[in-house]
Amino acid sequence: MPGLVGIIRSKTLPVLTPDVKNNPYAIAMKFPDESARLFDGELKLLLMDGAWHPRRLAYSNDVIAFALPGSLKIVDAIPLFELVEVVNMSDTDVVHTSPSIDEEESDSKSVKVNRTQKKSGDSNKVKFRHAVQLCTKTEGDGYNSGRQYIIQARNEQEHKKIIKDLTRLSKLATDKFLAKSQFEKAQEITRHYYKSTSFQIFVAVLIVANFAATATDAQLGPAGLDNSDGSKNGVGLFLQDLDSAFTAIFTVELLINMFAHWFMPFFSDMWCMFDLFIVSMSLISLGPVDLPASILRCLRAFRVLRLFARIKAVRQIISALSQSIVPVMNSFLIMGICTCIYSIMGVSFFRETAPDDFATFDRSFYAMFRVIAGETWVDSLRKTTEDGGLSMPDVCFVFSFIVIINWILLQVLCFNPIMHEKYISSFS
């Protein structure tokens, strides 16, 4: 016997970012992970056009999610902590009192419902014969907005499972949500607005503007910013006040970030710690410590790196590079060892004939590094002998170094398959 599920929703809240760990309503933005699904099946959903539409329904400990058949793209969702009642209804009239799920998501596989209109006053009632309905009601001022959903299960066993699970899960989810402190709820609201696109764009614009001001300061230099007596001129004072304003704004932004992600989410995040360092140094420069102008310019220039944390593609690249560090360092280690070996050989063979480059190990290593960097020859070594022939010891030494280091090891470093695998896997 088929089963029907009706879901009544309440007031819609603003669209939230999918941060399931920290935002209670973010669960409505993400289809439950496979490991978290307690039920996942294709049922039928009754829309306001009076037709049954296939829908994929899945629920976890936190949310009831709807998607199109075979898809993970969420169409609608109900946070379980807002369910206040689960009612089993059988062979009853169902009154349509609200709009349906977005009908643009419906498909051609809909099946019309047989309905019996006893009188004109019952024109909006649908009689479900030989069926069982489950009605789940939500809070009037919550995420859902009073719309009623009727969902047809495939069999009686499936219907009973849904009733039992939702009754239990809604109570657990509600108790968990109500147990949160006022501080946590304030954090969730702050986190939502802090992670909103508009706020992040605003901060990004400020970072770019601050970088432009820093570049202007570096371009003008003391000659364009100071008077003859060493005091700041009008442009210098403007840039100084502008830097103080940027520091104040970034301090407020950092405090908002700390409050929204306190404690471990903030201090375990590399970008948050970088923000904390840059802003702290900026505040120190305005306070008791008078830092040199060169250090201040460097600190201001580093602020633009905070922009990377707000661009997803850049974060992915940096994360990929960080995961590739180990294979890259292994390749550098091999190159370094080979360069040291050739440096020692250079001191042994050419200390007397080419003391400018091979008198000591450090000079020899520097000469070999210049060859790695692109120089084609070591100036103090001979290319030819007095009779016009090639100086074979010198030529073989440099030629073998170029072949081993530049042509082989450097190519392996640039096209290291392990490094590429780490880089690509970080994106997937």
Side-chain angles (χ1 to χ4, degrees), residues 207-223:
I207 292 174
V208 173
N210 176 246
F211 186 70
T214 303
T216 303
D217 180 270
Q219 174 65 26
L220 295 177

Side-chain angles (χ1 to χ4, degrees), residues 76-119:
D76 199 5
I78 302 172
L80 280 171
F81 64 82
E82 290 195 347
L83 294 183
V84 295
E85 187 178 10
V86 180
V87 181
N88 184 3
M89 305 175 66
S90 178
D91 198 27
T92 59
D93 290 334
V94 178
V95 181
H96 291 273
T97 58
S98 56
S100 66
I101 295 178
D102 190 357
E103 295 183 7
E104 294 180 359
E105 302 290 346
S106 63
D107 51 48
S108 60
K109 295 182 180 179
S110 60
V111 182
K112 288 291 181 180
V113 176
N114 295 324
R115 61 181 68 189
T116 304
Q117 298 182 359
K118 297 181 180 180
K119 56 183 179 179

Side-chain angles (χ1 to χ4, degrees), residues 348-381:
S348 301
F349 296 152
F350 307 111
R351 173 179 287 174
E352 302 296 334
T353 58
D356 290 343
D357 290 314
F358 295 100
T360 58
F361 175 80
D362 57 345
R363 289 188 183 184
S364 181
F365 187 88
Y366 177 66
M368 294 294 97
F369 183 80
R370 283 160 46 199
V371 175
I372 296 176
E375 290 192 11
T376 57
W377 193 256
V378 180
D379 295 334
S380 60
L381 291 179

